[in-house]
Amino acid sequence: MGSEIIPLLFGGFLFLLFIGAPITVALGVSTLITFLFLGENPIKFVQIAFTSVGSFPLMALPAFILAGALMEASGLSRRLINVAESFAGPFTGGMSAATVMACLFFGAISGSGPATTAAVGMLMIPAMIDRGYSKGFASAITASSGGLGIVIPPSIPLIIFGIAALGMPPPPEAVEEFGQFQTVSIPKLFIAGFMPAFLIAGSLLLMNYVLAKKNNYTGSTEGWSLRHMWCEMYRGFWALMAPVVILGGIYSGYFTPTEAAIVAIFYTLIVGAFIYRELSWSSLFGALETTTWLTGRVLLIMFTATVFGRLLVENQVPAVIAQGMLSFTDNIYVIWTLVILFLLFVGMFMETLATILILVPVMLPVAYSVGIDPIHFGVVMVCTLGIGFQTPPLGENLFIASGISKISIEEISLRALPFAFINTIAIFIIAFFPEISLWLPRVFGY
């Protein structure tokens, strides 16, 4: 039955996308039609959708979104950017390098690519343009660096991957051939994503230096000022402590990612209201409104994508696809290449969270079949989909950067290509060398 429903399920989904239906509608309608074709009771559709949002780890999703919104509203993000800018100094491409580091810091609280791009871009894109950077380059480096928001933990897509993968045990034949696989947990995914995030950030800094050298984007003439750096670090101390408190608590085992998200909210509220005193009632309500809109959008996708994925698993569609791929090759490096290229292509057209929920039931069995660790696979999948934020036609970060700089999507996309290329090389390195992802969790006793 699995092979029979593939044309109906995927054909209906792609047709609805082609005629312009929202992805939630395309997922829901194609799944419901397939349910009726199989003679299933439609009430099962509703039951699966309802239980999909009842998991405890999922509570971290709106909490981290709110923490990121509060961070911007209470002045923490601006202080982080000021610290990063103070370290730029006379370094070639220093301002754009500071943008990369600011995205890394802000992503460690927001967990969102578009939120990171918006928060950092609002301050750094005008600042880079004032320093002589072209609008296209300033927008491209910001849009590319914004993707770090979903790689550096705590990452919302890693949370979604963890939830999707928890209900998918490895096939018995894979366990028999490769031994027992480690279980998937969100803290483990967070720790595993730490080193790959810095590798991708390093690749962006390398490409930034090459392009800045070519375009003669020099740093300030005053040189580095230790006093200026110290003053900015002093002013931004509580902002700098936010990632330390959140990630330190998770990595040390003091609290779970869900609890860490709640801690992040209270920490930001206290710092914004009583220390920096910039959090007003209007900005608080604005942050709540942003959180409600983003969370509702994500949950709608989760409703339909979870049912879509459950239908695939129950009808053994992943097994059919895995068997087809393995009949082509069983070389793990060829499999990785096919997976990464496929994810790069899909990431250009589909929203990241929906892609994870749809493809995890399909691709994780393939990974198990060739002995790929599920934690390693999850990190590579999220890193690869992060490039989709900077590639058209969907590229959410491109639209945000375009709105800030007031230049065309096409120009930013062209300037972002070198960064997408160097990111892709970094992802292949992460995929081919599993220890980059798996060493740190082992150090922490996972």
Side-chain angles (χ1 to χ4, degrees), residues 7 29 33 111-112 163 182 234 243 308 313 415:
V29 171
I33 291 172
S112 166
I163 293 169
Q182 64 175 321
Y234 177 77
F308 188 95
V313 173
R415 294 295 191 96

Side-chain angles (χ1 to χ4, degrees), residues 159-315:
I159 294 172
I160 300 300
F161 176 88
I163 293 169
L166 280 172
M168 295 197 62
E173 56 271 20
V175 175
E176 184 179 343
E177 182 176 354
F178 299 104
Q180 194 65 44
F181 292 86
Q182 64 175 321
T183 56
V184 176
S185 73
I186 292 172
K188 199 184 301 183
L189 283 165
F190 279 0
I191 297 172
F194 199 77
M195 288 180 64
F198 275 90
L199 177 61
I200 292 173
S203 70
L204 287 171
L205 289 172
L206 176 63
M207 182 57 71
N208 168 69
Y209 179 79
V210 171
L211 294 177
K213 189 86 171 174
K214 177 183 176 183
N215 293 294
N216 197 31
Y217 296 145
T218 56
S220 63
T221 55
E222 297 85 13
W224 278 290
S225 168
L226 290 176
R227 184 177 182 279
H228 179 55
M229 287 189 281
W230 172 254
C231 288
E232 292 298 343
M233 289 178 66
Y234 177 77
R235 294 189 191 102
F237 173 78
W238 295 106
L240 290 169
M241 285 299 294
V244 176
V245 170
I246 296 165
L247 299 180
I250 295 172
Y251 294 166
S252 62
Y254 278 110
F255 34 74
T256 66
T258 304
E259 293 164 347
I262 305 302
V263 170
I265 291 173
F266 279 97
Y267 180 89
T268 309
L269 279 172
I270 292 169
V271 172
F274 299 107
I275 298 178
Y276 292 153
R277 299 182 181 180
E278 292 187 20
L279 187 63
S280 63
W281 285 108
S282 60
S283 59
L284 175 60
F285 287 127
L288 290 171
E289 183 181 349
T290 300
T291 303
T292 303
W293 185 84
L294 288 175
T295 304
R297 176 187 172 195
V298 171
L299 291 183
L300 276 174
I301 294 172
M302 280 201 68
F303 270 130
T304 50
T306 301
V307 186
F308 188 95
R310 182 74 66 85
L311 188 63
L312 292 175
V313 173
E314 288 183 353
N315 290 275

Side-chain angles (χ1 to χ4, degrees), residues 1 16 30 78 116 124 149 152 190 201 208 240-241 281 293 347 364 385 388 390 394 432 445:
M1 182 62 74
L16 288 166
S30 60
R78 190 182 70 254
T116 301
M124 293 303 288
I152 188 75
F190 279 0
N208 168 69
L240 290 169
M241 285 299 294
W281 285 108
W293 185 84
L364 191 56
L385 292 175
Q390 67 190 79
L394 184 63
F432 290 170

Side-chain angles (χ1 to χ4, degrees), residues 125 134-146 204 390 398 401 407 411-417 419:
I125 290 178
S134 72
K135 289 185 177 182
F137 182 85
S139 302
I141 185 67
T142 306
S144 302
S145 304
L204 287 171
Q390 67 190 79
L398 297 176
I407 64 171
E411 183 177 349
I412 301 175
S413 301
L414 191 64
R415 294 295 191 96
L417 284 177
F419 298 109

Side-chain angles (χ1 to χ4, degrees), residues 32-97:
L32 185 58
I33 291 172
T34 309
F35 258 83
L36 296 174
F37 172 78
L38 294 172
E40 298 273 9
N41 188 338
I43 197 67
K44 182 180 177 182
F45 179 100
V46 180
Q47 290 171 337
I48 295 172
F50 184 76
T51 56
S52 68
V53 294
S55 62
F56 177 71
L58 190 60
M59 290 175 62
L61 176 68
F64 275 125
I65 292 174
L66 178 56
L70 288 172
M71 184 182 179
E72 185 176 0
S74 56
L76 274 74
S77 60
R78 190 182 70 254
R79 286 171 172 82
L80 285 176
I81 291 168
N82 289 341
V83 172
E85 188 178 352
S86 71
F87 278 81
F91 181 76
T92 300
M95 282 289 289
S96 45

Side-chain angles (χ1 to χ4, degrees), residues 4 24 66 126 133 167 191-193 267 272 283 322 329 339 374 379 382 411 422:
E4 293 178 11
T24 306
L66 178 56
Y133 289 71
I191 297 172
Y267 180 89
S283 59
T329 179
V339 166
V379 169
V382 169
E411 183 177 349
I422 197 75

